[in-house]
Amino acid sequence: MNFDRVAPWFERLEKIVFGDQMQVCRTAFLSDLPAIKKAALIGEGNGTFLAQFLKHCDCEEIHYIDSSKKMLDLAQKQFQMNVFPGLERMVFYHLDLSLDVMPDQNYDLVVTNFFLDVFNGATLNNVVSKIASACTRDAHWLYADFQVTGNRFQRCRAIAWVKTMYLFFRLAADIQTMKLTNPSALLDRNGFQIKWFKEFDNGLMRAEIRQRKDEFVRDAGLF
Ligand SMILES: C[S@@+](CC[C@H](N)C(=O)[O-])C[C@H]1O[C@@H](n2cnc3c(N)ncnc32)[C@H](O)[C@@H]1O
């Protein structure tokens, strides 16, 4: 899987196809974040979300992780072009999280925007557990992704979009799955419970803010 080829076109394509809906979905809960010390933005791509994130979150450390060198270059360029405070708190990591370990531990926030949908069931399980085990016991998880839900019309529309996108990304980025797997049960199992959620674009996209519950973590023996 390699997003290098689509990296230069990603933002333009997104805007043509979905207007501002993906960005609205990514940023839905930014103003609801508590004080954060260390955040991991995972599979965060070209940096579209980063600028908004930096406006809302003055955390001490931000680790920006992506397996595409081109996506990371674009994010870094975006970061340098804008005058963001606290340059020294950003670290960019070129990592493939289906193979590599998380670069650090004790994250109290992880962000996965339109990232978990690139994995098949087994790899998704591995990636979610890997991320969760690098988090603190009361960490937050910001999640945005596509979903198939709602009434008959919404489901048919979502299935058509999801099929088209998987076909496109299979050809353009060689992604390993053709099926959207709902990660909700996996996130629950790792202790991250939904605090709030919102749906966008007639139910095609979903944003969630989740938090790990201390008592759940203890009972499940996660720590
Ligand atoms: C569909 S794009 C989403 C990008 C961005 N988060 C957004 O909201 O537009 C998926 C991103 O995940 C990255 N990615 C895919 N597989 C990865 C992996 N195994 N480890 C780290 N990043 C990965 C890709 O390079 C790409 O930037």
Side-chain angles (χ1 to χ4, degrees):
M1 178 156 48
N2 190 337
F3 276 72
D4 279 359
R5 258 200 305 163
V6 280
W9 311 104
F10 197 88
E11 195 177 349
R12 208 169 306 163
L13 271 179
E14 163 186 334
K15 292 219 171 101
I16 292 169
V17 179
F18 297 115
D20 65 352
Q21 287 301 285
M22 282 178 75
Q23 183 70 345
V24 173
C25 184
R26 290 181 188 105
T27 54
F29 291 115
L30 276 182
S31 6
D32 300 297
L33 284 177
I36 298 294
K37 279 194 180 147
K38 195 195 294 186
L41 312 190
I42 303 172
E44 206 33 76
N46 54 22
T48 319
F49 171 79
L50 179 62
Q52 289 303 314
F53 179 75
L54 288 167
K55 280 183 198 155
H56 284 86
C57 186
D58 58 356
C59 48
E60 291 163 21
E61 282 180 75
I62 304 164
H63 294 176
Y64 199 97
I65 300 161
D66 204 287
S67 60
S68 158
K69 182 77 178 59
K70 286 257 164 64
M71 287 286 199
L72 281 176
D73 288 347
L74 287 170
Q76 272 170 294
K77 221 177 260 170
Q78 160 110 248
F79 187 66
Q80 283 151 6
M81 264 165 29
N82 294 279
V83 187
F84 293 121
L87 190 68
E88 64 294 336
R89 62 193 171 129
M90 283 289 313
V91 187
F92 291 87
Y93 290 97
H94 184 208
L95 294 174
D96 177 346
L97 277 196
S98 63
L99 304 169
D100 302 317
V101 293
M102 287 286 283
D104 206 347
Q105 292 288 309
N106 295 321
Y107 293 100
D108 53 355
L109 173 69
V110 291
V111 180
T112 58
N113 287 324
F114 302 96
F115 164 69
L116 297 179
D117 59 359
V118 304
F119 300 109
N120 63 28
T123 317
L124 181 66
N125 191 353
N126 168 28
V127 170
V128 169
S129 312
K130 197 181 283 187
I131 297 170
S133 62
C135 289
T136 60
R137 53 197 309 153
D138 59 352
H140 282 77
W141 191 311
L142 270 189
Y143 165 90
D145 227 314
F146 295 103
Q147 64 174 1
V148 176
T149 190
N151 61 33
R152 213 164 139 201
F153 166 75
Q154 288 173 307
R155 293 181 73 84
C156 287
R157 176 175 173 262
I159 289 168
W161 269 123
V162 166
K163 278 201 166 146
T164 309
M165 285 187 284
Y166 277 109
L167 192 59
F168 173 77
F169 283 111
R170 166 59 64 90
L171 296 171
D174 194 26
I175 63 167
Q176 56 175 228
T177 185
M178 289 295 283
K179 190 170 156 261
L180 181 63
T181 307
N182 183 349
S184 199
L186 278 175
L187 294 168
D188 287 345
R189 208 181 307 145
N190 281 280
F192 288 88
Q193 318 267 293
I194 295 182
K195 276 173 92 174
W196 305 296
F197 76 91
K198 286 182 190 165
E199 293 177 335
F200 300 91
D201 201 357
N202 207 9
L204 179 61
M205 299 165 202
R206 176 184 181 92
E208 293 176 357
I209 182 161
R210 289 176 175 253
Q211 185 177 17
R212 220 170 197 180
K213 294 277 179 247
D214 204 32
E215 61 279 11
F216 181 94
V217 166
R218 213 177 32 239
D219 294 349
L222 292 171
F223 275 82

